[in-house]
Amino acid sequence: MATRTFPIVGDSLALGYRFQRHWNQSMANAFFFGELGAGVFLAAFLYGSVVGMIVGVLITAILKTYFHLSHMGVPDRAWRAILRPDRSWISRGAISIVFFTGAAILYIVLGRLGLLGWLGLADSGFGQGLLWLVQTVAVVFAMVVMVYHGFAIADSSSISFWNTGMMPVSSFSYSFLSGLVVTMNLDPQAGAVAVV
C-alpha cells in the first residue's frame, strides 16, 4: 500500500487524497501570530523590554483576533466560540487571549509605564499586591496562549506526529525562541534582567 501512488481526487468517492478545508490559511495565521505575540511578550517580560511587551500584546490582540474572526466566517456570531471551553480548543484559546491581553495591558500601564506611581500606590501593599497579581496572570496566560495551539493540533489524529505530547512542547519552544529573537531586535539595549 505504501508503494502505491494515489491521485488527488477532490470530493469524489474515488480512492485518493483530499484537501482538508477545516483549517485554512487564516487559522494558520491566527496560530502563528498568537504564538509569536505571546512569545514576544514573555521574552520581553524576562528581558525587561517595555517596547517588546507592547509589541507582543498588539500582535496577539490585533492580528490573532483578526485571523480568528476571519476563519470563523460570520464575525457577528464569532463571540459564541468563547461559550464552549469544555469542548473546544478555539474557545479555550479565545478565553486565554482575553485574559492575557487584559492582564498584560494592565501590567504594562500600571507597572511599567508608572500609573501606580502616579496614583501614589507604588509603595503601598495594595499596589504591590495588585501589580504582582496582574503580572502573574499576564505571564501564566501568555504561556497558555503559547501552548494551546499545540494542544489543539495534538487533538487531531489525522497526522501521527501531531497526535503526540510533543506538539505543546514544540509550540512553546517555537513561540519563546521566536519571541526572544524579535525582542532582542526590537530593544537591544534592554538588560537581560528578570522582572519579578
Side-chain angles (χ1 to χ4, degrees), residues 43-175:
F45 173 80
L46 296 173
Y47 198 61
S49 170
V50 178
V51 173
M53 285 188 268
I54 293 169
V55 168
V57 170
L58 289 176
I59 288 172
T60 302
I62 295 171
L63 294 175
K64 180 166 182 60
T65 304
Y66 169 75
F67 285 113
H68 254 308
L69 290 175
S70 66
H71 170 73
M72 290 181 189
V74 183
D76 298 351
R77 296 186 209 151
W79 63 272
R80 289 192 222 165
I82 209 164
L83 300 177
R84 293 290 195 180
D86 58 326
R87 297 183 186 159
S88 168
W89 276 107
I90 290 180
S91 177
R92 294 175 197 135
I95 291 169
S96 64
I97 290 166
V98 168
F99 278 103
F100 162 65
T101 303
I105 290 171
L106 274 175
Y107 172 71
I108 293 167
V109 170
L110 290 176
R112 303 302 291 196
L113 298 180
L115 184 62
L116 275 181
W118 185 76
L119 294 172
L121 298 172
D123 297 327
S124 70
F126 172 75
Q128 291 301 316
L130 178 64
L131 190 60
W132 178 84
L133 177 67
V134 169
Q135 164 185 312
T136 303
V137 170
V139 168
V140 166
F141 277 99
M143 290 192 286
V144 170
V145 171
M146 291 164 74
V147 299
Y148 101 87
H149 162 236
F151 283 113
I153 285 183
D155 202 33
S156 170
S157 59
S158 61
I159 299 176
S160 58
F161 175 71
W162 282 9
N163 196 12
T164 67
M166 287 303 296
M167 286 311 297
V169 174
S170 174
S171 292
F172 182 84
S173 301
Y174 154 76
S175 180

Side-chain angles (χ1 to χ4, degrees), residues 9-15 18:
V9 294
D11 292 329
S12 71
L13 294 174
L15 186 62
R18 289 157 183 80

